[in-house]
Amino acid sequence: MAIPVIDFSRLDGDDRTAVMAEIAAGFEEWGFFQLVNTGIPDELLERVKKVCNDCYKLREEGFNTSNPVVKALAALVNQEGEGLAMRKVEGMDWEDVFTLADDMPWPSIPPIFKETMMEYRTELKKLALKILGVMEELLGLDEGHITKVFSKDGDFDAFYGTKVSHYPPCPRPELVDGLRAHTDAGGLILLFQDDRVGGLQVLGRDGLWADVQPVENAIVINTGDQIEVMSNGRYKSAWHRVLAIREGNRRSIASFYNPARAATIAPATADSTTGAGYPSFSFGDYMDVYLQQKFQPKEPRFTAAAAMTKKTMD
């Protein structure tokens, strides 16, 4: 079954009601969907592809020669040659990655990388805020409620970061994960993925993995754990993973619009299709738990974060 692809330009036209229903279904049934015609110029998206690809070319040798996962896989393959039992590489991902944020150093090469990515992040943030507005409307929340919570009533800036990843060709993809299955910790995730090389999968409500099919210049949307709590289980964060692949170098540019660490996260609505009662906690406490338990079940993370926050307040 294919992940929904929604023409976002229809939102401001006569089809608004239908598009809102499609977005609601994407949030509720998958936790993932793709938007096309987002208003971000194709010309800018093409420049983003180029500068990120060029940046990886400068990093490629380092990945192949010194990345721990490459060394771990090579060691396993050597064991196979010696007739030893094979096992999968554990605790590592076949991924080259770096993070962009306004208060962090940026790559200086290629020269137009920073200029291009800053322009892209500005346009993408506009899209993120528009989608959060749609979400508030669908959940029956006051306009601006989510951004108000994320900023702790305007006292802090919400976190906005971008993770630039490449998943290079892997000689033994059956022995290593591209990226291990997980849910995202934060709020709203906007992914500009490779439009030719696949590998991203989402776990459907039926318990089966489904491909997030490459669609040219689409932005993939998914919700994180904090939206699950704020929607009281209506918009669940989805488990997803990236497969290592033998052919092709998959590009992935994921941007995260998350609460500030000081923000207090709690259910914003009593309406829950699951009857779940989620606790409240500080996002900073949740992140401390998440960093230790990212690839483990999410429900205990909610409980542990709530306990940490309660202990701090007592």
Side-chain angles (χ1 to χ4, degrees), residues 30-253:
W30 284 100
F32 263 76
F33 55 88
Q34 306 203 53
L35 295 180
V36 295
N37 299 324
T38 60
I40 301 176
D42 285 348
E43 178 272 336
L44 173 58
L45 295 175
E46 293 300 325
R47 283 192 282 128
V48 169
K49 295 176 191 178
K50 185 177 188 310
V51 297
C52 288
N53 288 345
D54 289 347
C55 191
Y56 174 72
K57 290 175 184 177
L58 301 172
R59 300 169 57 88
E60 184 173 15
E61 182 178 356
F63 178 84
N64 290 330
T65 59
S66 60
N67 193 291
V69 71
V70 175
K71 295 180 178 180
L73 181 61
L76 280 184
V77 173
N78 286 338
Q79 289 181 6
E80 182 182 36
E82 296 170 1
L84 300 176
M86 294 300 293
R87 53 182 173 80
K88 196 169 186 177
V89 174
E90 296 181 353
M92 298 183 187
D93 303 302
W94 192 265
E95 177 188 32
D96 176 80
V97 58
F98 62 93
T99 301
L100 305 175
D102 291 341
D103 59 350
M104 296 175 62
W106 289 51
S108 58
I109 303 174
I112 60 171
F113 179 87
K114 183 174 182 179
E115 174 188 340
T116 300
M117 294 304 294
M118 287 183 69
E119 182 181 354
Y120 168 72
R121 277 169 44 83
T122 297
E123 291 298 315
L124 197 71
K125 188 175 182 179
K126 296 176 186 176
L127 178 61
L129 294 174
K130 191 169 185 178
I131 295 170
L132 289 177
V134 169
M135 187 184 297
E136 288 163 348
E137 185 175 344
L138 291 170
L139 292 172
L141 303 175
D142 291 340
E143 182 179 354
H145 178 86
I146 296 175
T147 53
K148 184 178 180 181
V149 169
F150 279 18
S151 66
K152 198 173 177 63
D153 294 328
D155 290 342
F156 300 90
D157 291 331
F159 174 80
Y160 179 49
T162 299
K163 188 182 84 162
V164 180
S165 302
H166 282 82
Y167 300 91
C170 179
R172 296 296 297 275
E174 74 279 9
L175 294 179
V176 65
D177 294 303
L179 180 61
R180 286 162 285 168
H182 64 286
T183 63
D184 289 323
L188 186 70
I189 299 86
L190 303 94
L191 168 67
F192 184 32
Q193 71 163 346
D194 202 291
D195 49 19
R196 289 177 173 78
V197 182
L200 175 62
Q201 293 186 327
V202 58
L203 187 64
R205 303 295 190 241
D206 58 2
L208 301 176
W209 290 100
D211 293 329
V212 181
Q213 66 275 22
V215 176
E216 186 172 11
N217 289 348
I219 302 296
V220 180
I221 304 298
N222 73 282
T223 50
D225 297 341
Q226 308 315 301
I227 296 298
E228 177 169 335
V229 173
M230 292 183 68
S231 68
N232 208 14
R234 184 170 168 184
Y235 296 165
K236 291 187 179 297
S237 57
W239 287 87
H240 52 286
R241 67 184 183 184
V242 177
L243 302 178
I245 54 175
R246 194 178 295 273
E247 303 291 339
N249 181 13
R250 179 178 176 271
R251 178 187 60 254
S252 171
I253 307 163

Side-chain angles (χ1 to χ4, degrees), residues 6-29:
I6 302 169
D7 183 347
F8 199 57
S9 67
R10 296 165 51 224
L11 182 69
D12 297 323
D14 295 338
D15 292 338
R16 178 179 175 80
T17 300
V19 174
M20 292 287 285
E22 291 173 18
I23 293 174
F27 282 137
E28 292 181 12
E29 297 173 12

